[in-house]
Amino acid sequence: QQQVKQSPQSLIVQKGGISIINCAYENTAFDYFPWYQQFPGKGPALLIAIRPDVSEKKEGRFTISFNKSAKQFSLHIMDSQPGDSATYFCAASRLFQGAQKLVFGQGTRLTINP
Amino acid sequence: EAQVTQNPRYLITVTGKKLTVTCSQNMNHEYMSWYRQDPGLGLRQIYYSMNVEVTDKGDVPEGYKVSRKEKRNFPLILESPSPNQTSLYFCASSSVDKSSYEQYFGPGTRLTVT
């Protein structure tokens, strides 16, 4: 059972456009929602994260929008650049036996065309 | 440089031949974890460890073993690999400090079992 559902699986955006990736979760115990970025041949790296008590967080061209009532959150990449081409994973985290347990979405392969 | 290292990066083996993938971190993190990444399934947790000599199953532990004899090392052991364990494996570490939920990932180990 996939606790975090991510869409789309792949996305192609023109340079300068807006990339939008969506995620939905089921467990209301989740209390931290990070996005990880993964380049080919590399491990995932934290990009941006949000807690459920805020509806939006912005860091540069990257914004997370969070809808607690709908149990959905999304990543928006403004002015998308070829260097943003990567696989993006949303995740949800909750405290489990003293540590934060991450549950990941299926991933989205983003391609930015120059 | 703060990092998580894994070895080997690539491994091709045959069914039933025991193998070990090593993982080491230099950030003095208490929490370490192993994930496997498969297309369309995202990253799924195999095992995790809260500290030395404390390990527990993740979401997909069947066919794997781990040990945590030292704080910095967390090897993944496949006693009798099977083709369905062909995957991309990531080790990750994090602090258990509740103010810091970021997990740091290694570069990955691509395993092929024939």
Side-chain angles (χ1 to χ4, degrees):
Chain A
Q1 182 184 2
Q2 193 76 30
Q3 294 188 57
V4 179
K5 296 183 179 179
Q6 183 173 345
S7 63
Q9 276 198 305
S10 64
L11 180 62
I12 300 174
V13 175
Q14 292 299 118
K15 179 182 174 182
I18 302 173
S19 304
I20 302 174
I21 304 171
N22 300 300
C23 284
Y25 64 97
E26 299 169 0
N27 190 341
T28 55
F30 291 134
D31 62 358
Y32 174 72
F33 299 87
W35 286 86
Y36 280 78
Q37 181 187 52
Q38 182 184 30
F39 293 107
K42 305 289 187 183
L46 180 65
L47 177 65
I48 186 173
I50 196 169
R51 295 190 183 273
D53 53 348
V54 298
S55 59
E56 186 175 282
K57 183 173 182 180
K58 184 176 181 179
E59 292 184 0
R61 295 183 294 107
F62 300 89
T63 299
I64 300 178
S65 297
F66 188 84
N67 186 329
K68 189 173 182 178
S69 61
K71 291 189 284 186
Q72 295 175 348
F73 58 111
S74 60
L75 176 69
H76 296 236
I77 306 175
M78 311 299 289
D79 187 27
S80 299
Q81 299 296 311
D84 297 330
S85 296
T87 298
Y88 292 82
F89 292 98
C90 64
S93 179
R94 63 182 177 95
L95 193 62
F96 181 74
Q97 295 183 347
Q100 284 291 329
K101 178 176 170 63
L102 277 175
V103 179
F104 286 89
Q106 297 92 324
T108 297
R109 177 172 289 185
L110 174 64
T111 302
I112 307 300
N113 284 335
Chain B
E1 179 191 356
Q3 61 182 348
V4 178
T5 57
Q6 295 178 227
N7 282 292
R9 296 290 312 278
Y10 302 91
L11 181 58
I12 301 174
T13 190
V14 295
T15 298
K17 185 176 181 181
K18 181 180 178 179
L19 66 91
T20 299
V21 183
T22 65
C23 171
S24 183
Q25 51 95 4
N26 63 1
M27 294 168 279
N28 200 37
H29 285 160
E30 299 85 358
Y31 184 86
M32 297 186 74
S33 183
W34 276 101
Y35 296 88
R36 59 178 290 172
Q37 181 179 342
D38 300 291
L41 296 176
L43 293 112
R44 294 177 294 166
Q45 190 181 55
I46 302 171
Y47 267 94
Y48 65 95
S49 170
M50 291 294 297
N51 215 323
V52 175
E53 302 293 358
V54 181
T55 64
D56 208 344
K57 296 177 180 179
D59 300 315
V60 288
E62 293 77 20
Y64 304 95
K65 284 177 57 177
V66 292
S67 69
R68 187 93 180 272
K69 294 183 170 58
E70 303 167 286
K71 194 173 185 179
R72 63 183 292 126
N73 296 323
F74 189 45
L76 179 69
I77 303 157
L78 285 73
E79 294 265 357
S80 182
S82 62
N84 65 11
Q85 293 177 298
T86 292
S87 187
L88 180 58
Y89 291 86
F90 288 100
C91 180
S93 73
S94 70
S95 167
V96 296
D97 182 348
K98 291 179 183 177
S99 67
S100 174
Y101 294 160
E102 180 174 1
Q103 290 201 15
Y104 295 82
F105 285 80
T109 296
R110 185 166 293 280
L111 172 65
T112 301
V113 184
T114 60

